mmCIF file of all heavy atoms in Angstrom:
data_model
loop_
_atom_site.group_PDB
_atom_site.id
_atom_site.type_symbol
_atom_site.label_atom_id
_atom_site.label_comp_id
_atom_site.label_asym_id
_atom_site.label_seq_id
_atom_site.Cartn_x
_atom_site.Cartn_y
_atom_site.Cartn_z
ATOM 1 N N PHE Y 1 -37.244 308.325 -103.288
ATOM 2 C CA PHE Y 1 -37.007 308.115 -101.856
ATOM 3 C C PHE Y 1 -37.102 306.648 -101.459
ATOM 4 O O PHE Y 1 -36.708 306.272 -100.362
ATOM 5 C CB PHE Y 1 -37.959 308.948 -101.021
ATOM 6 C CG PHE Y 1 -37.650 310.417 -101.028
ATOM 7 C CD1 PHE Y 1 -38.382 311.267 -101.804
ATOM 8 C CD2 PHE Y 1 -36.571 310.914 -100.319
ATOM 9 C CE1 PHE Y 1 -38.083 312.650 -101.805
ATOM 10 C CE2 PHE Y 1 -36.281 312.261 -100.297
ATOM 11 C CZ PHE Y 1 -36.990 313.150 -101.090
ATOM 12 N N THR Y 2 -37.702 305.808 -102.298
ATOM 13 C CA THR Y 2 -37.819 304.410 -101.957
ATOM 14 C C THR Y 2 -36.843 303.496 -102.681
ATOM 15 O O THR Y 2 -36.663 302.342 -102.276
ATOM 16 C CB THR Y 2 -39.238 303.858 -102.206
ATOM 17 O OG1 THR Y 2 -39.590 304.050 -103.595
ATOM 18 C CG2 THR Y 2 -40.253 304.658 -101.374
ATOM 19 N N ARG Y 3 -36.248 303.970 -103.765
ATOM 20 C CA ARG Y 3 -35.315 303.111 -104.482
ATOM 21 C C ARG Y 3 -34.059 302.826 -103.652
ATOM 22 O O ARG Y 3 -33.648 303.682 -102.823
ATOM 23 C CB ARG Y 3 -34.916 303.742 -105.820
ATOM 24 C CG ARG Y 3 -34.036 304.997 -105.654
ATOM 25 C CD ARG Y 3 -33.555 305.490 -107.019
ATOM 26 N NE ARG Y 3 -32.745 306.682 -106.857
ATOM 27 C CZ ARG Y 3 -32.058 307.196 -107.865
ATOM 28 N NH1 ARG Y 3 -32.076 306.619 -109.052
ATOM 29 N NH2 ARG Y 3 -31.332 308.294 -107.681
ATOM 30 N N VAL Y 4 -33.498 301.710 -103.826
ATOM 31 C CA VAL Y 4 -32.314 301.283 -103.083
ATOM 32 C C VAL Y 4 -31.108 301.978 -103.608
ATOM 33 O O VAL Y 4 -30.840 301.981 -104.833
ATOM 34 C CB VAL Y 4 -32.145 299.755 -103.170
ATOM 35 C CG1 VAL Y 4 -30.854 299.317 -102.421
ATOM 36 C CG2 VAL Y 4 -33.357 299.043 -102.574
ATOM 37 N N LYS Y 5 -30.391 302.670 -102.731
ATOM 38 C CA LYS Y 5 -29.159 303.366 -103.171
ATOM 39 C C LYS Y 5 -27.945 302.583 -102.594
ATOM 40 O O LYS Y 5 -27.750 302.512 -101.374
ATOM 41 C CB LYS Y 5 -29.148 304.810 -102.576
ATOM 42 C CG LYS Y 5 -30.319 305.628 -103.119
ATOM 43 C CD LYS Y 5 -30.300 307.030 -102.530
ATOM 44 C CE LYS Y 5 -31.430 307.868 -103.099
ATOM 45 N NZ LYS Y 5 -31.463 309.213 -102.549
ATOM 46 N N TRP Y 6 -27.163 302.022 -103.504
ATOM 47 C CA TRP Y 6 -26.037 301.161 -103.159
ATOM 48 C C TRP Y 6 -24.773 302.001 -103.037
ATOM 49 O O TRP Y 6 -24.561 302.949 -103.757
ATOM 50 C CB TRP Y 6 -25.829 300.063 -104.209
ATOM 51 C CG TRP Y 6 -26.968 299.122 -104.278
ATOM 52 C CD1 TRP Y 6 -27.965 299.103 -105.232
ATOM 53 C CD2 TRP Y 6 -27.264 298.076 -103.412
ATOM 54 N NE1 TRP Y 6 -28.834 298.087 -104.998
ATOM 55 C CE2 TRP Y 6 -28.429 297.415 -103.870
ATOM 56 C CE3 TRP Y 6 -26.676 297.575 -102.262
ATOM 57 C CZ2 TRP Y 6 -29.008 296.344 -103.237
ATOM 58 C CZ3 TRP Y 6 -27.211 296.465 -101.590
ATOM 59 C CH2 TRP Y 6 -28.365 295.853 -102.120
ATOM 60 N N LYS Y 7 -23.982 301.619 -102.049
ATOM 61 C CA LYS Y 7 -22.679 302.305 -101.798
ATOM 62 C C LYS Y 7 -21.574 301.269 -101.791
ATOM 63 O O LYS Y 7 -21.702 300.208 -101.106
ATOM 64 C CB LYS Y 7 -22.757 303.045 -100.477
ATOM 65 C CG LYS Y 7 -21.501 303.814 -100.118
ATOM 66 C CD LYS Y 7 -21.665 304.514 -98.786
ATOM 67 C CE LYS Y 7 -20.371 305.285 -98.427
ATOM 68 N NZ LYS Y 7 -20.509 305.955 -97.085
ATOM 69 N N LYS Y 8 -20.499 301.571 -102.439
ATOM 70 C CA LYS Y 8 -19.341 300.646 -102.518
ATOM 71 C C LYS Y 8 -18.800 300.411 -101.132
ATOM 72 O O LYS Y 8 -18.622 301.354 -100.352
ATOM 73 C CB LYS Y 8 -18.279 301.252 -103.392
ATOM 74 C CG LYS Y 8 -17.090 300.347 -103.641
ATOM 75 C CD LYS Y 8 -17.400 299.211 -104.597
ATOM 76 C CE LYS Y 8 -16.158 298.449 -104.970
ATOM 77 N NZ LYS Y 8 -16.483 297.342 -105.863
ATOM 78 N N SER Y 9 -18.562 299.164 -100.797
ATOM 79 C CA SER Y 9 -18.044 298.791 -99.484
ATOM 80 C C SER Y 9 -16.789 297.922 -99.628
ATOM 81 O O SER Y 9 -16.345 297.632 -100.753
ATOM 82 C CB SER Y 9 -19.122 298.051 -98.689
ATOM 83 O OG SER Y 9 -18.641 297.808 -97.320
ATOM 84 N N THR Y 10 -16.243 297.517 -98.517
ATOM 85 C CA THR Y 10 -15.008 296.685 -98.507
ATOM 86 C C THR Y 10 -15.334 295.292 -99.100
ATOM 87 O O THR Y 10 -16.373 294.720 -98.898
ATOM 88 C CB THR Y 10 -14.430 296.538 -97.130
ATOM 89 O OG1 THR Y 10 -15.492 295.972 -96.239
ATOM 90 C CG2 THR Y 10 -14.004 297.884 -96.564
ATOM 91 N N PRO Y 11 -14.363 294.684 -99.853
ATOM 92 C CA PRO Y 11 -14.542 293.360 -100.363
ATOM 93 C C PRO Y 11 -14.647 292.358 -99.208
ATOM 94 O O PRO Y 11 -14.273 292.595 -98.092
ATOM 95 C CB PRO Y 11 -13.290 293.104 -101.200
ATOM 96 C CG PRO Y 11 -12.755 294.471 -101.469
ATOM 97 C CD PRO Y 11 -13.102 295.345 -100.296
ATOM 98 N N VAL Y 12 -15.239 291.194 -99.548
ATOM 99 C CA VAL Y 12 -15.446 290.147 -98.610
ATOM 100 C C VAL Y 12 -14.473 288.981 -98.859
ATOM 101 O O VAL Y 12 -14.283 288.605 -100.012
ATOM 102 C CB VAL Y 12 -16.894 289.643 -98.643
ATOM 103 C CG1 VAL Y 12 -17.087 288.436 -97.732
ATOM 104 C CG2 VAL Y 12 -17.861 290.710 -98.230
ATOM 105 N N GLU Y 13 -13.910 288.426 -97.807
ATOM 106 C CA GLU Y 13 -13.053 287.251 -97.938
ATOM 107 C C GLU Y 13 -13.447 286.257 -96.836
ATOM 108 O O GLU Y 13 -13.356 286.597 -95.649
ATOM 109 C CB GLU Y 13 -11.614 287.675 -97.802
ATOM 110 C CG GLU Y 13 -10.652 286.520 -98.099
ATOM 111 C CD GLU Y 13 -9.194 286.970 -98.108
ATOM 112 O OE1 GLU Y 13 -8.934 288.027 -98.743
ATOM 113 O OE2 GLU Y 13 -8.304 286.302 -97.531
ATOM 114 N N ILE Y 14 -13.926 285.099 -97.246
ATOM 115 C CA ILE Y 14 -14.454 284.086 -96.298
ATOM 116 C C ILE Y 14 -13.714 282.792 -96.467
ATOM 117 O O ILE Y 14 -13.524 282.306 -97.606
ATOM 118 C CB ILE Y 14 -15.958 283.857 -96.533
ATOM 119 C CG1 ILE Y 14 -16.749 285.154 -96.385
ATOM 120 C CG2 ILE Y 14 -16.493 282.760 -95.597
ATOM 121 C CD1 ILE Y 14 -18.183 285.056 -96.842
ATOM 122 N N THR Y 15 -13.255 282.219 -95.380
ATOM 123 C CA THR Y 15 -12.617 280.894 -95.369
ATOM 124 C C THR Y 15 -13.545 279.884 -94.756
ATOM 125 O O THR Y 15 -14.137 280.158 -93.723
ATOM 126 C CB THR Y 15 -11.257 280.967 -94.618
ATOM 127 O OG1 THR Y 15 -10.409 281.895 -95.202
ATOM 128 C CG2 THR Y 15 -10.593 279.599 -94.624
ATOM 129 N N ALA Y 16 -13.706 278.755 -95.448
ATOM 130 C CA ALA Y 16 -14.632 277.747 -94.931
ATOM 131 C C ALA Y 16 -14.194 277.246 -93.539
ATOM 132 O O ALA Y 16 -13.017 277.068 -93.243
ATOM 133 C CB ALA Y 16 -14.659 276.573 -95.867
ATOM 134 N N LEU Y 17 -15.202 277.063 -92.688
ATOM 135 C CA LEU Y 17 -14.912 276.557 -91.319
ATOM 136 C C LEU Y 17 -14.545 275.061 -91.373
ATOM 137 O O LEU Y 17 -14.967 274.363 -92.300
ATOM 138 C CB LEU Y 17 -16.136 276.786 -90.433
ATOM 139 C CG LEU Y 17 -16.556 278.250 -90.270
ATOM 140 C CD1 LEU Y 17 -17.854 278.295 -89.413
ATOM 141 C CD2 LEU Y 17 -15.474 279.049 -89.537
ATOM 142 N N ARG Y 18 -13.924 274.597 -90.333
ATOM 143 C CA ARG Y 18 -13.611 273.175 -90.245
ATOM 144 C C ARG Y 18 -14.934 272.410 -90.098
ATOM 145 O O ARG Y 18 -15.778 272.759 -89.285
ATOM 146 C CB ARG Y 18 -12.728 272.925 -89.033
ATOM 147 C CG ARG Y 18 -12.255 271.525 -88.872
ATOM 148 C CD ARG Y 18 -11.481 271.283 -87.583
ATOM 149 N NE ARG Y 18 -10.925 269.974 -87.510
ATOM 150 C CZ ARG Y 18 -9.684 269.707 -88.011
ATOM 151 N NH1 ARG Y 18 -8.915 270.632 -88.520
ATOM 152 N NH2 ARG Y 18 -9.207 268.442 -87.905
ATOM 153 N N PRO Y 19 -15.129 271.357 -90.906
ATOM 154 C CA PRO Y 19 -16.394 270.609 -90.795
ATOM 155 C C PRO Y 19 -16.593 270.023 -89.399
ATOM 156 O O PRO Y 19 -15.689 269.586 -88.766
ATOM 157 C CB PRO Y 19 -16.190 269.507 -91.881
ATOM 158 C CG PRO Y 19 -15.180 270.031 -92.821
ATOM 159 C CD PRO Y 19 -14.266 270.837 -91.975
ATOM 160 N N ALA Y 20 -17.855 270.034 -88.988
ATOM 161 C CA ALA Y 20 -18.189 269.514 -87.632
ATOM 162 C C ALA Y 20 -17.918 268.019 -87.519
ATOM 163 O O ALA Y 20 -17.636 267.506 -86.408
ATOM 164 C CB ALA Y 20 -19.662 269.810 -87.314
ATOM 165 N N ASN Y 21 -17.953 267.281 -88.624
ATOM 166 C CA ASN Y 21 -17.745 265.833 -88.557
ATOM 167 C C ASN Y 21 -16.282 265.467 -88.763
ATOM 168 O O ASN Y 21 -15.952 264.292 -89.005
ATOM 169 C CB ASN Y 21 -18.589 265.070 -89.566
ATOM 170 C CG ASN Y 21 -18.314 265.509 -91.009
ATOM 171 O OD1 ASN Y 21 -17.612 266.484 -91.261
ATOM 172 N ND2 ASN Y 21 -18.811 264.764 -91.972
ATOM 173 N N VAL Y 22 -15.410 266.482 -88.623
ATOM 174 C CA VAL Y 22 -13.924 266.211 -88.724
ATOM 175 C C VAL Y 22 -13.266 266.806 -87.461
ATOM 176 O O VAL Y 22 -12.704 267.874 -87.503
ATOM 177 C CB VAL Y 22 -13.327 266.819 -89.971
ATOM 178 C CG1 VAL Y 22 -11.854 266.397 -90.071
ATOM 179 C CG2 VAL Y 22 -14.095 266.374 -91.208
ATOM 180 N N PRO Y 23 -13.367 266.137 -86.356
ATOM 181 C CA PRO Y 23 -12.783 266.661 -85.117
ATOM 182 C C PRO Y 23 -11.242 266.593 -85.162
ATOM 183 O O PRO Y 23 -10.652 265.848 -85.971
ATOM 184 C CB PRO Y 23 -13.341 265.731 -84.019
ATOM 185 C CG PRO Y 23 -13.605 264.457 -84.747
ATOM 186 C CD PRO Y 23 -14.032 264.827 -86.125
ATOM 187 N N LEU Y 24 -10.603 267.388 -84.350
ATOM 188 C CA LEU Y 24 -9.159 267.367 -84.248
ATOM 189 C C LEU Y 24 -8.683 266.030 -83.734
ATOM 190 O O LEU Y 24 -9.349 265.434 -82.832
ATOM 191 C CB LEU Y 24 -8.648 268.508 -83.347
ATOM 192 C CG LEU Y 24 -8.876 269.925 -83.894
ATOM 193 C CD1 LEU Y 24 -8.542 270.967 -82.767
ATOM 194 C CD2 LEU Y 24 -7.988 270.184 -85.097
#
């Protein structure tokens, strides 16, 4: 009852944010 039970979930896709020191 205490062991972690993992469940398959959706894949993750992350795009890096624009750096704060590079303004438009």
Side-chain angles (χ1 to χ4, degrees):
F1 287 103
T2 58
R3 68 174 181 171
V4 177
K5 297 180 180 180
W6 297 101
K7 181 180 179 182
K8 185 75 173 179
S9 186
T10 55
V12 173
E13 186 172 317
I14 301 169
T15 300
L17 299 175
R18 186 185 187 90
N21 60 347
V22 186
L24 292 171

